[in-house]
Amino acid sequence: MDFKKLIAHCKEYGFIFQSSEIYDGLAATYDYGPNGVELKNNIKKYWWMSMVQMHENIVGLDAAIFMHPKTWKASGHVDAFNDPMLDNKDSKKRYRADQLIEGYCEKIEAKNNKDVAKARKRFGDAFDEAQFRATNARVLDRQAKIDDILKRMNEHMRNGDMAGLGDMITELEIACPESGSRNWTEVRQFNLMFSTQLGNIAGEESKLYLRPETAQGIFVNFLNVQKSTRQKIPFGIAQIGKAFRNEIVARQFIFRMREFEQMEMQFFIQPGTQQKWYEYWKETRLNWHKALGTDSAKLRYHDHDNLAHYADAAVDIEFQFPFGFRELEGIHSRTDFDLSEHQKLSGKKLQYFDPEKQESYVPYVLETSIGCDRMFLAMISNALQEETVPDADGKDSTRIVMKLPPSLAPVKVAVLPLLKNKPELTSKARAIFKKLNLDFNCQYEEKDAIGRRYRRQDAIGTPYCITIDFDTLENDTVTIRDRDTLQQERIHINEIEQVVRERVDMKNLFSVVEEVA
Ligand code: GAP
């Protein structure tokens, strides 16, 4: 579905609102509405169950957002958590240098895609896209140009060469999208952490940062958790929580926010085993995504060109968002960087005594890190569809339907009396609703014709609608309508709870995780 339509749908149906909208909003900050919070909680539950509940050797943690300021010195965030930034002097807009250069390459890529589309039209079914891209001179020239630009840009990024990035922007004659001018400032490093002050101390000592990743709360608690749970290496600590980054270019709705939520897991391992665990978590995490029914063609790995300051290997799981393939989750081999740095700066030992090897060492760490909000956006963009289906009279009509996995859907079941002004129907429906409410998130709706109510439930992804009609009064049966197949079955009132439970249970996802593994 078109991205603008998706954003409008999220607002209209209570999934996501712009933060402080009545004051014209706050950039890159969003609030989750009644349906949004349910979907988000279900995503978090799916992650938590698969990480903590289903792994004997992974335990949970909920660390504070504020941490001792030295944490961020040790982790490298004070010195190295920067983006290369420049301002346009005419529009006064600020940009990330690498994103300007990537945008330039995307325009060249668009020309190639246009040529591919034209050729496909000309050759029809016989068209072989891979062969065309590998042989067409114009497409090859453009691709070589893109590769060269990205290679040079990545080199400058790796070396922290701001002047080199600035020179590239001049050489490629990149103009400000807003003012159209090339009147740029120099490229500078811009630290992405938000800071604030402690109330009772004066000066630098009082400076606090809002955590830019949840991971550090796990590192500093490594021994507390290990000792209190008597876990043996390899073991993991998982955490879900807010993180904050002063993103220069915050765009694409909830894809890049300044306040967002991460679901991170640090897996502590023996030094030297990182390659094995890197492969293991790469595969395990991809299977987790596939088990949600996401089309495999929409998911891919992308090795990092520029490694973060803490990593010796890193890969992204990318998802095909409406604006192209982008990072959804990162899997990072963080070596012993974080624990060793905390050890140095705190003066406290962060070592593990290995009973089998009879020696102490600083463990290595394999990290899986996914943004909950990005996962939400991936789920919505995968699920939201416009399709033509027969209406009650058998005529074609279009509907907007959110085909979420039932266990993630905000509302599991809607209870609908066929008519509003028949107390015998509404009182029966209310009684059923009241009972089901104890087990599932349900909705009771009696306003409007039944067809319109079905459409409203389709639009928020409700997998099952129970309709109470005149037969219900006769024989205690109801219809249960399936969101995706539109099939209606008649079942007894006493069966509703069990039938719905079987179909919306999160367990269904875990059996698929095992199948795809
Ligand atoms: N602890 C490692 C770490 O934070 P990262 O690649 O910077 O690694 C991990 O972030 C994940 O957090 C990303 O894959 C993405 O899903 C999410 N994320 C990062 N920045 C974000 C932002 N500004 N808005 C929303 N999600 C973000």
Side-chain angles (χ1 to χ4, degrees), residues 80 82-85 96-99 101-102 105 146-172 174 187-189 305-307:
N82 300 319
D83 271 348
M85 159 218 100
R96 252 172 71 177
D98 55 331
Q99 285 183 349
I101 297 171
E102 280 167 359
C105 292
I146 294 174
D147 293 345
D148 172 61
I149 293 172
L150 293 181
K151 188 169 161 247
R152 282 161 52 208
M153 181 191 87
N154 284 328
E155 242 164 59
H156 294 319
M157 293 286 287
R158 255 193 309 278
N159 301 334
D161 181 358
M162 298 298 108
L165 289 172
D167 290 346
M168 282 188 77
I169 286 168
T170 311
E171 171 206 315
L172 299 172
I174 296 176
V187 181
R188 295 187 301 270
Q189 295 277 25
D305 298 313
N306 303 308
L307 290 175

mmCIF file of all heavy atoms in Angstrom, residues 80 82-85 96-99 101-102 105 146-172 174 187-189 305-307:
data_model
loop_
_atom_site.group_PDB
_atom_site.id
_atom_site.type_symbol
_atom_site.label_atom_id
_atom_site.label_comp_id
_atom_site.label_asym_id
_atom_site.label_seq_id
_atom_site.Cartn_x
_atom_site.Cartn_y
_atom_site.Cartn_z
ATOM 1 N N ALA A 80 32.461 8.627 20.118
ATOM 2 C CA ALA A 80 32.338 8.074 18.753
ATOM 3 C C ALA A 80 30.911 7.911 18.236
ATOM 4 O O ALA A 80 30.734 7.423 17.121
ATOM 5 C CB ALA A 80 33.041 6.722 18.694
ATOM 6 N N ASN A 82 28.664 9.499 16.603
ATOM 7 C CA ASN A 82 28.458 10.745 15.857
ATOM 8 C C ASN A 82 27.905 10.470 14.473
ATOM 9 O O ASN A 82 28.151 9.421 13.899
ATOM 10 C CB ASN A 82 29.811 11.443 15.659
ATOM 11 C CG ASN A 82 30.462 11.764 16.983
ATOM 12 O OD1 ASN A 82 29.798 12.190 17.924
ATOM 13 N ND2 ASN A 82 31.756 11.553 17.065
ATOM 14 N N ASP A 83 27.236 11.469 13.936
ATOM 15 C CA ASP A 83 26.843 11.446 12.526
ATOM 16 C C ASP A 83 27.525 12.628 11.832
ATOM 17 O O ASP A 83 27.660 13.702 12.433
ATOM 18 C CB ASP A 83 25.324 11.630 12.389
ATOM 19 C CG ASP A 83 24.590 10.303 12.439
ATOM 20 O OD1 ASP A 83 25.263 9.256 12.344
ATOM 21 O OD2 ASP A 83 23.356 10.321 12.561
ATOM 22 N N PRO A 84 27.940 12.456 10.565
ATOM 23 C CA PRO A 84 28.530 13.584 9.850
ATOM 24 C C PRO A 84 27.430 14.510 9.355
ATOM 25 O O PRO A 84 26.517 14.083 8.658
ATOM 26 C CB PRO A 84 29.238 12.908 8.671
ATOM 27 C CG PRO A 84 28.482 11.644 8.444
ATOM 28 C CD PRO A 84 27.853 11.247 9.745
ATOM 29 N N MET A 85 27.508 15.774 9.753
ATOM 30 C CA MET A 85 26.378 16.646 9.490
ATOM 31 C C MET A 85 26.830 17.949 8.816
ATOM 32 O O MET A 85 27.964 18.394 9.019
ATOM 33 C CB MET A 85 25.748 16.889 10.862
ATOM 34 C CG MET A 85 24.908 18.062 11.011
ATOM 35 S SD MET A 85 25.211 18.729 12.651
ATOM 36 C CE MET A 85 26.318 20.035 12.285
ATOM 37 N N ARG A 96 22.458 14.892 6.966
ATOM 38 C CA ARG A 96 23.558 13.952 7.181
ATOM 39 C C ARG A 96 24.272 13.800 5.861
ATOM 40 O O ARG A 96 23.656 13.494 4.830
ATOM 41 C CB ARG A 96 22.999 12.599 7.619
ATOM 42 C CG ARG A 96 23.271 12.315 9.075
ATOM 43 C CD ARG A 96 22.575 11.104 9.523
ATOM 44 N NE ARG A 96 23.166 9.890 8.966
ATOM 45 C CZ ARG A 96 22.752 8.668 9.267
ATOM 46 N NH1 ARG A 96 21.753 8.513 10.113
ATOM 47 N NH2 ARG A 96 23.309 7.604 8.740
ATOM 48 N N ALA A 97 25.612 13.988 5.885
ATOM 49 C CA ALA A 97 26.386 13.968 4.639
ATOM 50 C C ALA A 97 26.211 12.639 3.915
ATOM 51 O O ALA A 97 26.001 12.600 2.696
ATOM 52 C CB ALA A 97 27.854 14.222 4.945
ATOM 53 N N ASP A 98 26.274 11.516 4.670
ATOM 54 C CA ASP A 98 26.182 10.210 4.003
ATOM 55 C C ASP A 98 24.800 10.012 3.379
ATOM 56 O O ASP A 98 24.661 9.404 2.323
ATOM 57 C CB ASP A 98 26.532 9.070 4.965
ATOM 58 C CG ASP A 98 25.691 9.085 6.234
ATOM 59 O OD1 ASP A 98 25.253 10.179 6.652
ATOM 60 O OD2 ASP A 98 25.458 8.011 6.816
ATOM 61 N N GLN A 99 23.765 10.574 4.020
ATOM 62 C CA GLN A 99 22.422 10.403 3.451
ATOM 63 C C GLN A 99 22.235 11.243 2.186
ATOM 64 O O GLN A 99 21.518 10.839 1.270
ATOM 65 C CB GLN A 99 21.352 10.740 4.491
ATOM 66 C CG GLN A 99 21.234 9.635 5.525
ATOM 67 C CD GLN A 99 20.142 9.877 6.553
ATOM 68 O OE1 GLN A 99 19.584 10.975 6.622
ATOM 69 N NE2 GLN A 99 19.861 8.874 7.362
ATOM 70 N N ILE A 101 24.615 11.825 0.058
ATOM 71 C CA ILE A 101 25.333 11.094 -0.997
ATOM 72 C C ILE A 101 24.526 9.853 -1.408
ATOM 73 O O ILE A 101 24.380 9.549 -2.595
ATOM 74 C CB ILE A 101 26.766 10.718 -0.530
ATOM 75 C CG1 ILE A 101 27.559 12.003 -0.267
ATOM 76 C CG2 ILE A 101 27.480 9.851 -1.561
ATOM 77 C CD1 ILE A 101 28.905 11.812 0.401
ATOM 78 N N GLU A 102 23.962 9.165 -0.420
ATOM 79 C CA GLU A 102 23.137 7.985 -0.751
ATOM 80 C C GLU A 102 21.917 8.391 -1.583
ATOM 81 O O GLU A 102 21.513 7.692 -2.506
ATOM 82 C CB GLU A 102 22.686 7.270 0.527
ATOM 83 C CG GLU A 102 23.762 6.380 1.105
ATOM 84 C CD GLU A 102 23.456 5.900 2.524
ATOM 85 O OE1 GLU A 102 22.406 6.274 3.083
ATOM 86 O OE2 GLU A 102 24.300 5.188 3.073
ATOM 87 N N CYS A 105 22.855 8.695 -5.093
ATOM 88 C CA CYS A 105 22.961 7.373 -5.725
ATOM 89 C C CYS A 105 21.575 6.780 -6.009
ATOM 90 O O CYS A 105 21.377 6.105 -7.021
ATOM 91 C CB CYS A 105 23.749 6.409 -4.830
ATOM 92 S SG CYS A 105 25.477 6.871 -4.703
ATOM 93 N N ILE A 146 27.662 4.284 -9.194
ATOM 94 C CA ILE A 146 27.110 4.151 -7.830
ATOM 95 C C ILE A 146 28.119 3.424 -6.934
ATOM 96 O O ILE A 146 28.418 3.865 -5.812
ATOM 97 C CB ILE A 146 25.782 3.345 -7.846
ATOM 98 C CG1 ILE A 146 24.692 4.112 -8.584
ATOM 99 C CG2 ILE A 146 25.321 3.006 -6.434
ATOM 100 C CD1 ILE A 146 23.389 3.341 -8.768
ATOM 101 N N ASP A 147 28.658 2.303 -7.441
ATOM 102 C CA ASP A 147 29.590 1.501 -6.628
ATOM 103 C C ASP A 147 30.804 2.329 -6.223
ATOM 104 O O ASP A 147 31.259 2.271 -5.073
ATOM 105 C CB ASP A 147 30.049 0.255 -7.405
ATOM 106 C CG ASP A 147 28.898 -0.717 -7.626
ATOM 107 O OD1 ASP A 147 27.860 -0.558 -6.953
ATOM 108 O OD2 ASP A 147 29.020 -1.612 -8.487
ATOM 109 N N ASP A 148 31.309 3.121 -7.186
ATOM 110 C CA ASP A 148 32.496 3.933 -6.904
ATOM 111 C C ASP A 148 32.182 4.982 -5.826
ATOM 112 O O ASP A 148 32.938 5.172 -4.869
ATOM 113 C CB ASP A 148 32.963 4.600 -8.208
ATOM 114 C CG ASP A 148 34.069 5.611 -7.931
ATOM 115 O OD1 ASP A 148 35.114 5.181 -7.421
ATOM 116 O OD2 ASP A 148 33.865 6.826 -8.198
ATOM 117 N N ILE A 149 31.028 5.650 -5.982
ATOM 118 C CA ILE A 149 30.668 6.706 -5.013
ATOM 119 C C ILE A 149 30.509 6.109 -3.611
ATOM 120 O O ILE A 149 31.046 6.635 -2.632
ATOM 121 C CB ILE A 149 29.353 7.406 -5.447
ATOM 122 C CG1 ILE A 149 29.574 8.187 -6.746
ATOM 123 C CG2 ILE A 149 28.833 8.323 -4.352
ATOM 124 C CD1 ILE A 149 28.295 8.742 -7.353
ATOM 125 N N LEU A 150 29.796 4.975 -3.520
ATOM 126 C CA LEU A 150 29.548 4.391 -2.196
ATOM 127 C C LEU A 150 30.848 3.873 -1.569
ATOM 128 O O LEU A 150 31.035 3.967 -0.357
ATOM 129 C CB LEU A 150 28.502 3.276 -2.279
ATOM 130 C CG LEU A 150 27.087 3.748 -2.648
ATOM 131 C CD1 LEU A 150 26.117 2.577 -2.693
ATOM 132 C CD2 LEU A 150 26.554 4.802 -1.652
ATOM 133 N N LYS A 151 31.733 3.353 -2.416
ATOM 134 C CA LYS A 151 33.014 2.851 -1.899
ATOM 135 C C LYS A 151 33.809 4.011 -1.275
ATOM 136 O O LYS A 151 34.307 3.910 -0.149
ATOM 137 C CB LYS A 151 33.803 2.213 -3.046
ATOM 138 C CG LYS A 151 35.038 1.504 -2.606
ATOM 139 C CD LYS A 151 35.613 0.663 -3.746
ATOM 140 C CE LYS A 151 37.060 0.342 -3.439
ATOM 141 N NZ LYS A 151 38.016 0.949 -4.314
ATOM 142 N N ARG A 152 33.868 5.119 -2.010
ATOM 143 C CA ARG A 152 34.620 6.273 -1.497
ATOM 144 C C ARG A 152 33.966 6.828 -0.234
ATOM 145 O O ARG A 152 34.625 7.186 0.736
ATOM 146 C CB ARG A 152 34.724 7.348 -2.573
ATOM 147 C CG ARG A 152 35.803 7.002 -3.613
ATOM 148 C CD ARG A 152 35.625 7.769 -4.905
ATOM 149 N NE ARG A 152 35.515 9.185 -4.700
ATOM 150 C CZ ARG A 152 34.836 10.022 -5.514
ATOM 151 N NH1 ARG A 152 34.238 9.552 -6.586
ATOM 152 N NH2 ARG A 152 34.786 11.304 -5.266
ATOM 153 N N MET A 153 32.635 6.908 -0.271
ATOM 154 C CA MET A 153 31.933 7.439 0.899
ATOM 155 C C MET A 153 32.207 6.567 2.134
ATOM 156 O O MET A 153 32.501 7.079 3.225
ATOM 157 C CB MET A 153 30.425 7.477 0.624
ATOM 158 C CG MET A 153 29.631 8.027 1.778
ATOM 159 S SD MET A 153 27.871 7.775 1.581
ATOM 160 C CE MET A 153 27.687 6.142 2.274
ATOM 161 N N ASN A 154 32.132 5.234 1.945
ATOM 162 C CA ASN A 154 32.351 4.332 3.080
ATOM 163 C C ASN A 154 33.766 4.455 3.630
ATOM 164 O O ASN A 154 33.969 4.351 4.848
ATOM 165 C CB ASN A 154 32.047 2.880 2.677
ATOM 166 C CG ASN A 154 30.545 2.650 2.613
ATOM 167 O OD1 ASN A 154 29.789 3.261 3.366
ATOM 168 N ND2 ASN A 154 30.103 1.811 1.698
ATOM 169 N N GLU A 155 34.719 4.675 2.740
ATOM 170 C CA GLU A 155 36.104 4.849 3.184
ATOM 171 C C GLU A 155 36.215 6.092 4.082
ATOM 172 O O GLU A 155 36.801 6.056 5.154
ATOM 173 C CB GLU A 155 37.009 5.034 1.969
ATOM 174 C CG GLU A 155 38.053 3.936 1.828
ATOM 175 C CD GLU A 155 38.639 3.951 0.439
ATOM 176 O OE1 GLU A 155 39.207 5.000 0.042
ATOM 177 O OE2 GLU A 155 38.473 2.942 -0.251
ATOM 178 N N HIS A 156 35.609 7.191 3.627
ATOM 179 C CA HIS A 156 35.637 8.429 4.434
ATOM 180 C C HIS A 156 34.927 8.223 5.768
ATOM 181 O O HIS A 156 35.368 8.731 6.799
ATOM 182 C CB HIS A 156 34.959 9.581 3.675
ATOM 183 C CG HIS A 156 35.698 9.991 2.424
ATOM 184 N ND1 HIS A 156 37.061 10.079 2.357
ATOM 185 C CD2 HIS A 156 35.234 10.356 1.194
ATOM 186 C CE1 HIS A 156 37.423 10.466 1.138
ATOM 187 N NE2 HIS A 156 36.331 10.636 0.417
ATOM 188 N N MET A 157 33.811 7.476 5.738
ATOM 189 C CA MET A 157 33.064 7.243 6.982
ATOM 190 C C MET A 157 33.922 6.432 7.947
ATOM 191 O O MET A 157 33.979 6.736 9.145
ATOM 192 C CB MET A 157 31.774 6.454 6.682
ATOM 193 C CG MET A 157 30.748 7.219 5.874
ATOM 194 S SD MET A 157 29.901 8.478 6.828
ATOM 195 C CE MET A 157 28.838 7.493 7.843
ATOM 196 N N ARG A 158 34.577 5.398 7.408
ATOM 197 C CA ARG A 158 35.433 4.549 8.257
ATOM 198 C C ARG A 158 36.564 5.348 8.885
ATOM 199 O O ARG A 158 36.901 5.186 10.046
ATOM 200 C CB ARG A 158 36.029 3.418 7.418
ATOM 201 C CG ARG A 158 35.364 2.059 7.668
ATOM 202 C CD ARG A 158 36.154 0.919 7.093
ATOM 203 N NE ARG A 158 36.518 1.082 5.704
ATOM 204 C CZ ARG A 158 35.706 0.804 4.680
ATOM 205 N NH1 ARG A 158 34.486 0.370 4.898
ATOM 206 N NH2 ARG A 158 36.112 0.985 3.430
ATOM 207 N N ASN A 159 37.143 6.262 8.082
ATOM 208 C CA ASN A 159 38.300 7.027 8.568
ATOM 209 C C ASN A 159 37.899 8.290 9.317
ATOM 210 O O ASN A 159 38.756 9.079 9.709
ATOM 211 C CB ASN A 159 39.202 7.439 7.382
ATOM 212 C CG ASN A 159 39.698 6.215 6.635
ATOM 213 O OD1 ASN A 159 39.797 5.147 7.225
ATOM 214 N ND2 ASN A 159 39.977 6.352 5.343
ATOM 215 N N GLY A 160 36.599 8.536 9.440
ATOM 216 C CA GLY A 160 36.141 9.766 10.092
ATOM 217 C C GLY A 160 36.602 11.000 9.336
ATOM 218 O O GLY A 160 36.884 12.045 9.936
ATOM 219 N N ASP A 161 36.717 10.883 8.006
ATOM 220 C CA ASP A 161 37.247 11.975 7.179
ATOM 221 C C ASP A 161 36.098 12.901 6.737
ATOM 222 O O ASP A 161 35.470 12.707 5.691
ATOM 223 C CB ASP A 161 37.959 11.356 5.965
ATOM 224 C CG ASP A 161 38.566 12.414 5.061
ATOM 225 O OD1 ASP A 161 38.402 13.616 5.350
ATOM 226 O OD2 ASP A 161 39.200 12.022 4.057
ATOM 227 N N MET A 162 35.832 13.922 7.548
ATOM 228 C CA MET A 162 34.710 14.820 7.285
ATOM 229 C C MET A 162 34.964 15.670 6.035
ATOM 230 O O MET A 162 34.059 15.922 5.240
ATOM 231 C CB MET A 162 34.459 15.750 8.484
ATOM 232 C CG MET A 162 34.083 15.025 9.760
ATOM 233 S SD MET A 162 32.556 14.081 9.623
ATOM 234 C CE MET A 162 33.161 12.412 9.604
ATOM 235 N N ALA A 163 36.246 16.109 5.875
ATOM 236 C CA ALA A 163 36.576 16.943 4.712
ATOM 237 C C ALA A 163 36.357 16.145 3.422
ATOM 238 O O ALA A 163 35.855 16.670 2.418
ATOM 239 C CB ALA A 163 38.017 17.414 4.810
ATOM 240 N N GLY A 164 36.711 14.852 3.464
ATOM 241 C CA GLY A 164 36.529 13.989 2.292
ATOM 242 C C GLY A 164 35.057 13.915 1.897
ATOM 243 O O GLY A 164 34.702 13.968 0.708
ATOM 244 N N LEU A 165 34.180 13.806 2.904
ATOM 245 C CA LEU A 165 32.737 13.745 2.614
ATOM 246 C C LEU A 165 32.266 15.079 2.013
ATOM 247 O O LEU A 165 31.491 15.114 1.056
ATOM 248 C CB LEU A 165 31.947 13.449 3.898
ATOM 249 C CG LEU A 165 32.081 12.027 4.459
ATOM 250 C CD1 LEU A 165 31.418 11.935 5.825
ATOM 251 C CD2 LEU A 165 31.459 10.994 3.523
ATOM 252 N N GLY A 166 32.777 16.182 2.595
ATOM 253 C CA GLY A 166 32.431 17.520 2.093
ATOM 254 C C GLY A 166 32.861 17.675 0.635
ATOM 255 O O GLY A 166 32.097 18.184 -0.205
ATOM 256 N N ASP A 167 34.090 17.188 0.319
ATOM 257 C CA ASP A 167 34.590 17.288 -1.060
ATOM 258 C C ASP A 167 33.688 16.510 -2.017
ATOM 259 O O ASP A 167 33.434 16.944 -3.144
ATOM 260 C CB ASP A 167 36.025 16.731 -1.158
ATOM 261 C CG ASP A 167 37.019 17.649 -0.444
ATOM 262 O OD1 ASP A 167 36.631 18.798 -0.144
ATOM 263 O OD2 ASP A 167 38.152 17.204 -0.184
ATOM 264 N N MET A 168 33.221 15.354 -1.553
ATOM 265 C CA MET A 168 32.354 14.550 -2.440
ATOM 266 C C MET A 168 31.048 15.289 -2.747
ATOM 267 O O MET A 168 30.546 15.260 -3.869
ATOM 268 C CB MET A 168 32.027 13.199 -1.784
ATOM 269 C CG MET A 168 33.156 12.202 -1.870
ATOM 270 S SD MET A 168 32.642 10.567 -1.287
ATOM 271 C CE MET A 168 31.679 9.971 -2.682
ATOM 272 N N ILE A 169 30.512 15.968 -1.723
ATOM 273 C CA ILE A 169 29.247 16.696 -1.926
ATOM 274 C C ILE A 169 29.450 17.833 -2.938
ATOM 275 O O ILE A 169 28.602 18.077 -3.806
ATOM 276 C CB ILE A 169 28.690 17.181 -0.567
ATOM 277 C CG1 ILE A 169 28.119 15.959 0.168
ATOM 278 C CG2 ILE A 169 27.621 18.253 -0.731
ATOM 279 C CD1 ILE A 169 27.786 16.150 1.596
ATOM 280 N N THR A 170 30.629 18.487 -2.853
ATOM 281 C CA THR A 170 30.947 19.552 -3.819
ATOM 282 C C THR A 170 31.129 18.954 -5.217
ATOM 283 O O THR A 170 30.538 19.424 -6.193
ATOM 284 C CB THR A 170 32.248 20.279 -3.399
ATOM 285 O OG1 THR A 170 32.137 20.620 -2.026
ATOM 286 C CG2 THR A 170 32.499 21.519 -4.236
ATOM 287 N N GLU A 171 31.935 17.891 -5.292
ATOM 288 C CA GLU A 171 32.246 17.270 -6.587
ATOM 289 C C GLU A 171 30.983 16.747 -7.294
ATOM 290 O O GLU A 171 30.807 16.917 -8.500
ATOM 291 C CB GLU A 171 33.227 16.118 -6.325
ATOM 292 C CG GLU A 171 33.512 15.222 -7.506
ATOM 293 C CD GLU A 171 33.941 13.820 -7.025
ATOM 294 O OE1 GLU A 171 34.764 13.743 -6.095
ATOM 295 O OE2 GLU A 171 33.428 12.834 -7.578
ATOM 296 N N LEU A 172 30.057 16.160 -6.518
ATOM 297 C CA LEU A 172 28.840 15.594 -7.123
ATOM 298 C C LEU A 172 27.761 16.672 -7.345
ATOM 299 O O LEU A 172 26.682 16.386 -7.849
ATOM 300 C CB LEU A 172 28.269 14.472 -6.243
ATOM 301 C CG LEU A 172 29.199 13.263 -6.028
ATOM 302 C CD1 LEU A 172 28.623 12.311 -4.984
ATOM 303 C CD2 LEU A 172 29.423 12.511 -7.337
ATOM 304 N N ILE A 174 25.865 18.240 -5.267
ATOM 305 C CA ILE A 174 24.598 17.932 -4.585
ATOM 306 C C ILE A 174 24.009 19.230 -4.023
ATOM 307 O O ILE A 174 24.688 19.987 -3.331
ATOM 308 C CB ILE A 174 24.821 16.898 -3.464
ATOM 309 C CG1 ILE A 174 25.301 15.579 -4.089
ATOM 310 C CG2 ILE A 174 23.549 16.675 -2.656
ATOM 311 C CD1 ILE A 174 25.665 14.488 -3.094
ATOM 312 N N VAL A 187 31.446 19.835 6.761
ATOM 313 C CA VAL A 187 30.833 18.664 7.409
ATOM 314 C C VAL A 187 31.458 18.527 8.804
ATOM 315 O O VAL A 187 32.681 18.604 8.948
ATOM 316 C CB VAL A 187 31.087 17.384 6.581
ATOM 317 C CG1 VAL A 187 30.441 16.183 7.245
ATOM 318 C CG2 VAL A 187 30.560 17.558 5.156
ATOM 319 N N ARG A 188 30.594 18.366 9.823
ATOM 320 C CA ARG A 188 31.092 18.244 11.209
ATOM 321 C C ARG A 188 30.544 16.975 11.857
ATOM 322 O O ARG A 188 29.494 16.466 11.448
ATOM 323 C CB ARG A 188 30.590 19.424 12.067
ATOM 324 C CG ARG A 188 31.106 20.759 11.674
ATOM 325 C CD ARG A 188 30.678 21.812 12.716
ATOM 326 N NE ARG A 188 29.219 21.886 12.841
ATOM 327 C CZ ARG A 188 28.455 22.698 12.118
ATOM 328 N NH1 ARG A 188 28.998 23.479 11.210
ATOM 329 N NH2 ARG A 188 27.141 22.740 12.291
ATOM 330 N N GLN A 189 31.239 16.495 12.881
ATOM 331 C CA GLN A 189 30.720 15.369 13.663
ATOM 332 C C GLN A 189 29.673 15.893 14.639
ATOM 333 O O GLN A 189 29.898 16.896 15.300
ATOM 334 C CB GLN A 189 31.855 14.715 14.476
ATOM 335 C CG GLN A 189 32.927 14.070 13.639
ATOM 336 C CD GLN A 189 32.537 12.653 13.184
ATOM 337 O OE1 GLN A 189 31.361 12.329 13.095
ATOM 338 N NE2 GLN A 189 33.529 11.840 12.880
ATOM 339 N N ASP A 305 28.998 -2.235 5.975
ATOM 340 C CA ASP A 305 30.196 -1.733 5.306
ATOM 341 C C ASP A 305 31.082 -1.014 6.318
ATOM 342 O O ASP A 305 32.296 -1.097 6.286
ATOM 343 C CB ASP A 305 29.811 -0.737 4.199
ATOM 344 C CG ASP A 305 28.959 -1.421 3.136
ATOM 345 O OD1 ASP A 305 29.343 -2.523 2.715
ATOM 346 O OD2 ASP A 305 27.913 -0.854 2.742
ATOM 347 N N ASN A 306 30.435 -0.290 7.239
ATOM 348 C CA ASN A 306 31.193 0.453 8.256
ATOM 349 C C ASN A 306 30.844 -0.108 9.624
ATOM 350 O O ASN A 306 29.715 0.055 10.082
ATOM 351 C CB ASN A 306 30.815 1.938 8.219
ATOM 352 C CG ASN A 306 31.060 2.518 6.859
ATOM 353 O OD1 ASN A 306 32.148 2.390 6.315
ATOM 354 N ND2 ASN A 306 30.029 3.128 6.280
ATOM 355 N N LEU A 307 31.798 -0.767 10.247
ATOM 356 C CA LEU A 307 31.516 -1.380 11.547
ATOM 357 C C LEU A 307 31.468 -0.316 12.637
ATOM 358 O O LEU A 307 32.266 0.626 12.620
ATOM 359 C CB LEU A 307 32.600 -2.403 11.883
ATOM 360 C CG LEU A 307 32.578 -3.679 11.021
ATOM 361 C CD1 LEU A 307 33.763 -4.567 11.362
ATOM 362 C CD2 LEU A 307 31.276 -4.447 11.209
#
